[in-house]
Amino acid sequence: SRSNWRDYLATYLVEKEEELIAELKPELEEAELIVGRIQESLVMGELAEAKRAGEELERAFEPVSTHLSRLVDVQLEVTRLEVARSGERLGAVRVLAVSSIVLGLALAFATEFGKRRLQARAHAAEKAVRASEAERQQAQGLRKLFEAAFEGILFSDQRGRITYVNE
């Protein structure tokens, strides 16, 4: 719909998306003009003209479809990069959690107080790892659900960058 398109254009767009949109805009404008002609012909009862305009719209739709496919490919690549970055951040959280556990072990051997502290840190680290893993599994489950959806789903971050688009 037009509102979805406007909403999409209002998000953060990478340079390649902006290029494709610039190429796509005149084609969309042409298609909209043809649709207007079809509507007018139908209102006026000029079915032959409506049919000719419909055939013209069919030809005009091919480049629009091609550009939209290319745009979706760019969005998917951006999403793949974001998912990879998320995996890197998860790795950093795991390293931090393991480091916290090791530090806690060293303190535990030093004093009884260190032992109590280790238990608290280990619990917090394990909880963080479980939470990260649960978040990753939930994201995978949601990604599968969104990929199976018949409707287009698009997520963006607080800066307006697209972080996910279903296929």
Side-chain angles (χ1 to χ4, degrees):
S1 77
R2 287 184 178 136
S3 66
N4 289 342
W5 180 249
R6 279 192 304 272
D7 291 346
Y8 168 67
L9 293 177
T11 65
Y12 171 80
L13 302 171
V14 297
E15 184 177 339
K16 186 62 179 173
E17 283 177 299
E18 289 174 351
E19 291 170 9
L20 288 169
I21 289 168
E23 293 173 14
L24 181 61
K25 278 186 179 180
E27 294 168 353
L28 284 174
E29 289 169 1
E30 179 184 346
E32 286 186 25
L33 289 174
I34 297 169
V35 168
R37 285 189 9 234
I38 292 170
Q39 290 171 334
E40 186 177 315
S41 297
L42 290 173
V43 167
M44 301 299 280
E46 298 171 353
L47 298 180
E49 177 57 30
K51 181 178 179 184
R52 280 192 296 277
E55 291 166 353
E56 186 179 342
L57 180 61
E58 196 174 313
R59 288 188 300 275
F61 186 72
E62 181 61 33
V64 169
S65 176
T66 300
H67 275 93
L68 288 175
S69 292
R70 290 173 54 204
L71 194 55
V72 167
D73 290 342
V74 170
Q75 293 168 346
L76 288 173
E77 183 57 30
V78 169
T79 301
R80 281 186 200 102
L81 291 173
E82 286 297 319
V83 167
R85 287 185 193 123
S86 295
E88 291 169 5
R89 287 189 294 266
L90 177 61
V93 168
R94 285 183 177 159
V95 167
L96 180 61
V98 170
S99 298
S100 295
I101 292 169
V102 169
L103 179 60
L105 283 171
L107 290 173
F109 287 119
T111 64
E112 181 64 30
F113 179 73
K115 180 180 178 184
R116 290 180 187 150
R117 202 167 184 183
L118 167 67
Q119 290 170 345
R121 284 181 177 234
H123 178 72
E126 289 173 12
K127 188 175 178 181
V129 169
R130 282 193 301 270
S132 294
E133 184 62 25
E135 182 179 332
R136 185 188 65 76
Q137 288 177 353
Q138 182 182 17
Q140 277 183 328
L142 287 173
R143 195 174 303 112
K144 287 179 183 177
L145 176 68
F146 293 153
E147 293 297 332
F150 292 106
E151 293 292 326
I153 300 173
L154 175 118
F155 291 107
S156 62
D157 62 16
Q158 291 176 345
R159 293 187 214 161
R161 293 184 299 189
I162 294 173
T163 58
Y164 178 80
V165 176
N166 70 331
E167 296 179 9

